[in-house]
Amino acid sequence: MPEKNSANPIEVRINAAKIGFGDWTLFDSLDLTLAAGKWTCMLGTSGVGKTTLLRLIAGLSSDNSDIDVQCGDNLPLAGRAAYMAQQDLLLPWLPVIDNVMLGARLRGELTRSGQLRERAIGLLSAVGLEASLGDIPAKLSGGMRQRAALARTLLEDRPVVLMDEPFSALDAITRIKLQELAAELLADKTVLLVTHDPMEALRLGHRIHVMSGRPARLEGSIELAGSPLRAVHDPVVLEGQADLLERLSGAEADAEAGAP
């Protein structure tokens, strides 16, 4: 199993996040705290603003947005967060191993290339792609591409990890296995996971938020007992699903009521 970074985890505080388009405000004065070394999960209906908020935290802001991000160690977040988008974003002309090492290549980290390559191979083996190191993305299935993107995110080894539906293209069994891998390798990280899957949030999360409304807001958080990774039959998971589904149903009703 690839080694994990031992750097201290950091708390991240998001204050007064705002984005709008003309007369339409997606969210305004939105606050969120990501506990150090914990998994924060966010659910909500499609289009409510989860991905947009994730992108703003990652520094992918636009002219019509505003956000204040502060870290518990009083250092900037820039350069210390890994971001995994919904799309795999693999470069079609590069083989899998080079796609996974792309961040290091762009940063010119050639002195560590041998060590990084060894770790990249270990991660690709852990996600079941050891036989595809030299394949270009066109030869991979959608699920395999998503696994390569996960390996690339893990290789970055940042203290903060922002993940947008990272397991959405996977079959149920592979999804569970990669949840287990991510929980193990990100156990010391500050993670924000956007997902549409209540069970996934309940298995991986320390705290869960539901985003709803127009403008969007974050409902009171759900604090989960015990520690991830929880088994699918864990009472916390089984009992929490009903509560989460009820909250999501209410969020959908709010969205429909607020639709133009």
Side-chain angles (χ1 to χ4, degrees):
M1 183 62 65
E3 295 180 359
K4 296 182 291 184
N5 191 309
S6 59
N8 292 331
I10 57 175
E11 179 186 79
V12 179
R13 298 181 297 274
I14 295 94
N15 305 306
K18 175 182 180 179
I19 187 166
F21 305 92
D23 294 332
W24 176 48
T25 300
L26 187 58
F27 49 75
D28 189 5
S29 301
L30 193 149
D31 300 332
L32 175 66
T33 297
L34 310 179
K38 305 292 186 182
W39 283 67
T40 301
C41 298
M42 188 186 306
L43 297 96
T45 56
S46 296
V48 75
K50 304 182 301 299
T51 293
T52 300
L53 178 60
L54 204 69
R55 287 176 56 82
L56 290 182
I57 298 170
L60 305 173
S61 58
S62 60
D63 293 338
N64 53 354
S65 66
D66 190 23
I67 190 171
D68 175 33
V69 179
Q70 299 181 358
C71 296
D73 58 4
N74 296 318
L75 297 175
L77 181 60
R80 298 197 292 166
Y83 173 63
M84 182 175 175
Q86 291 182 27
Q87 299 79 22
D88 58 75
L89 302 180
L90 300 179
L91 297 181
W93 57 87
L94 286 181
V96 168
I97 184 65
D98 291 326
N99 262 295
V100 170
M101 296 179 62
L102 182 60
R105 179 192 227 183
L106 293 175
R107 291 189 295 271
E109 297 176 353
L110 300 180
T111 58
R112 294 202 304 138
S113 60
Q115 178 186 355
L116 282 169
R117 183 177 179 86
E118 181 179 346
R119 188 165 187 269
I121 292 172
L123 285 167
L124 285 167
S125 178
V127 299
L129 293 177
E130 64 275 10
S132 302
L133 302 183
D135 292 342
I136 60 172
K139 294 184 66 175
L140 306 182
S141 68
M144 293 169 73
R145 292 167 64 104
Q146 198 80 345
R147 283 184 271 159
L150 175 61
R152 180 182 58 200
T153 302
L154 294 172
L155 184 67
E156 287 296 298
D157 202 16
R158 303 297 182 187
V160 178
V161 181
L162 308 171
M163 309 178 84
D164 192 0
E165 294 282 346
F167 313 114
S168 59
L170 305 174
D171 63 87
I173 300 302
T174 303
R175 185 170 187 149
I176 288 174
K177 289 180 179 178
L178 290 192
Q179 287 170 357
E180 293 171 354
L181 176 67
E184 180 177 353
L185 293 182
L186 298 177
D188 57 346
K189 311 296 186 185
T190 301
V191 180
L192 176 56
L193 170 69
V194 166
T195 177
H196 282 103
D197 185 350
M199 179 177 287
E200 183 166 273
L202 290 161
R203 294 190 76 216
L204 291 170
H206 293 88
R207 177 184 298 166
I208 298 175
H209 293 273
V210 174
M211 181 180 276
S212 67
R214 296 188 183 181
R217 62 190 183 278
L218 292 175
E219 303 291 348
S221 63
I222 301 172
E223 305 288 339
L224 299 173
S227 299
L229 178 80
R230 300 176 186 87
V232 294
H233 51 72
D234 188 308
V236 172
V237 174
L238 297 177
E239 294 170 8
Q241 285 190 84
D243 181 25
L244 264 183
L245 287 171
E246 184 176 350
R247 292 185 184 221
L248 289 168
S249 296
E252 185 174 4
D254 286 347
E256 292 176 353

